[in-house]
Amino acid sequence: MKRVLTAALAATTLLVAGACGGNDDTTEPSGTTQSSASAAAYPVTVGDLTLDQQPQKIVSLSSTATEILFAIGAGPQVTAVDDQSNYPADAPKTDLSGFKPNAEAIAAKDPDLVILSNDIDKIVSQLDKLKIPVFVASATTDLDGTYQQIGQFGSLTGHTAEADALSAKMTADIDKIVKDVPPRSTPLTYYYELDPTLYSVTSKTFIGSIFAKFGMTNVADAADPDGAKGGYPQLSQESLVKSDPDTIFLADSKCCQQSPQTVAARKGWSTVTAVKSNQIYALDDDIASRWGPRTVDLVRAIADAVAKIPA
C-alpha cells in the first residue's frame, strides 16, 4: 500500500489514502550553474505566495521539486531535502519526511522557503503559524503542468531564464523521441504496474498522459472509469489476464524486486501476450514516479520498448 501512497503523492492529491543512466540527451541537474538570480527582481508572487527576497535556505519535501530546483540552478539555495529526495546525489538529504511532515523539525532548519507536494496533515497552516513561507507544488497531470511548475520554481528562486531553458529542452527532447518512434496501424495496449498487488494508473494521470503520446491504450482505464479511485485502481488478476495487454511496464523494479522473470513466473500469466512475447519492461521506480526533468528519460525508456515491437 505504501507504493500506492507514494505514487498518489507523486502524481495526484486525490488519493491521499495510498534513476537510469542515459545517453547524451539525458537531462542533468545544474546545481552549480551560474544563474539569473542576480538579475531577479523581488518581491515575486506565485499563486498565493509572495517572497520579498530571494530565498537562500530552501527546504524541499518533494523529490520532484528537489530535482527541478537543482536542474534550474537553484541547488546552492537548497539547504535540506526530504528522505526520499535521492537525486541529484549532492542534494542535502535529511531525515525530514514528505509523507509525515513535522512542523517543528522543518522549522529547525530555519528555512526561508518550504516546498511541498501536498498539504498532508494541514502542514501548511502549521508552517503559516510559524511564519515560514510555503509553496505547495501539487502533482501535475500532464507535461504542460510540469512546465508551468518549472516556471513557478524559476520565479520563486530567481532562476527564470534557467527554468525557461529547461522546459524548452524537455519539450524538444520529448518531441524528438516520440517523433522517432515508427507509427503503427494498431495501438498497443499496456499495463503499468505500481506494485505486485496490481495497483496501476489510468490515462487520467501524469503517467497516462506520457503513454498517450505513443497512442497506447491503457488496460486499467476500465477499473476507474469515473476517476473515483483517483486514477489509481487496483486490478484483479482475473481482469488483468483477461485484458491481455501487449506490453507490461514495471514501476516496482526497485521497491519490490519485480522483473520480466518474476512476472512471467506468476501463476496464470503465461497466456498474456506481453508475457508470451517477452514484452515486459522494468522501469526505474524513481524516474517513473516523478514529473520533473527526468521525465525525458522515462519517455525514452517507453520509446525504446515500443520501437522494438513489430508494427
Side-chain angles (χ1 to χ4, degrees):
M1 195 65 176
K2 182 178 180 181
R3 284 289 299 163
V4 181
L5 172 62
T6 302
L9 290 172
T12 181
T13 60
L14 297 177
L15 193 61
V16 177
C20 289
N23 54 30
D24 291 341
D25 292 334
T26 299
T27 303
E28 296 290 350
S30 53
T32 58
T33 301
Q34 292 299 313
S35 74
S36 60
S38 59
Y42 285 83
V44 298
T45 298
V46 177
D48 295 330
L49 176 64
T50 296
L51 296 179
D52 293 327
Q53 297 179 325
Q54 183 188 26
Q56 299 296 331
K57 293 180 289 185
I58 301 172
V59 170
S60 170
L61 299 186
S62 160
S63 53
T64 297
T66 299
E67 294 195 16
I68 293 174
L69 289 168
F70 277 78
I72 63 173
Q77 297 157 247
V78 179
T79 54
V81 302
D82 70 294
D83 57 2
Q84 299 300 306
S85 289
N86 56 6
Y87 188 89
D90 57 343
K93 191 174 180 178
T94 71
D95 59 359
L96 292 175
S97 172
F99 297 123
K100 295 292 292 184
N102 180 285
E104 288 74 21
I106 296 171
K109 303 297 182 183
D110 191 28
D112 53 12
L113 175 62
V114 174
I115 297 179
L116 308 167
S117 61
N118 210 306
D119 187 15
I120 297 175
D121 296 335
K122 299 182 178 179
I123 184 65
V124 172
S125 63
Q126 297 179 55
L127 295 174
D128 284 345
K129 291 179 181 177
L130 297 173
K131 301 187 182 305
I132 297 174
V134 182
F135 184 73
V136 179
S138 300
T140 66
T141 56
D142 55 33
L143 279 168
D144 286 342
T146 293
Y147 299 142
Q148 180 182 28
Q149 203 165 89
I150 290 172
Q152 292 172 332
F153 283 15
S155 297
L156 288 172
T157 63
H159 295 269
T160 54
E162 293 93 332
D164 291 345
L166 174 61
S167 292
K169 185 175 189 312
M170 287 179 64
T171 300
D173 289 348
I174 289 172
D175 286 352
K176 183 178 188 308
I177 292 169
V178 174
K179 183 180 178 181
D180 287 348
V181 174
R184 24 189 351 114
S185 57
T186 303
L188 290 169
T189 60
Y190 74 95
Y191 161 59
Y192 183 91
E193 181 167 288
L194 285 175
D195 70 20
T197 64
L198 309 186
Y199 273 97
S200 189
V201 301
T202 70
S203 297
K204 296 178 181 177
T205 64
F206 178 79
I207 289 296
S209 76
I210 299 301
F211 279 92
K213 288 186 170 295
F214 296 94
M216 301 177 72
T217 303
N218 190 341
V219 301
D221 285 351
D224 189 22
D226 58 1
K229 299 176 182 177
Y232 295 88
Q234 183 179 27
L235 310 184
S236 69
Q237 174 164 298
E238 180 182 13
S239 66
L240 180 55
V241 171
K242 186 177 180 179
S243 66
D244 190 25
D246 297 314
T247 61
I248 296 174
F249 290 84
L250 303 173
D252 52 2
S253 62
K254 292 168 66 176
C255 74
C256 313
Q257 294 76 53
Q258 295 305 292
S259 67
Q261 292 73 30
T262 62
V263 172
R266 294 175 184 174
K267 187 177 180 179
W269 287 53
S270 61
T271 61
V272 175
T273 296
V275 176
K276 290 189 297 184
S277 304
N278 296 317
Q279 291 166 181
I280 307 172
Y281 308 98
L283 301 171
D284 183 292
D285 300 16
D286 295 335
I287 293 175
S289 65
R290 300 171 188 177
W291 58 96
R294 290 196 294 168
T295 296
V296 176
D297 297 338
L298 174 62
V299 173
R300 183 177 295 109
I302 297 170
D304 289 345
V306 171
K308 294 176 183 176
I309 301 173

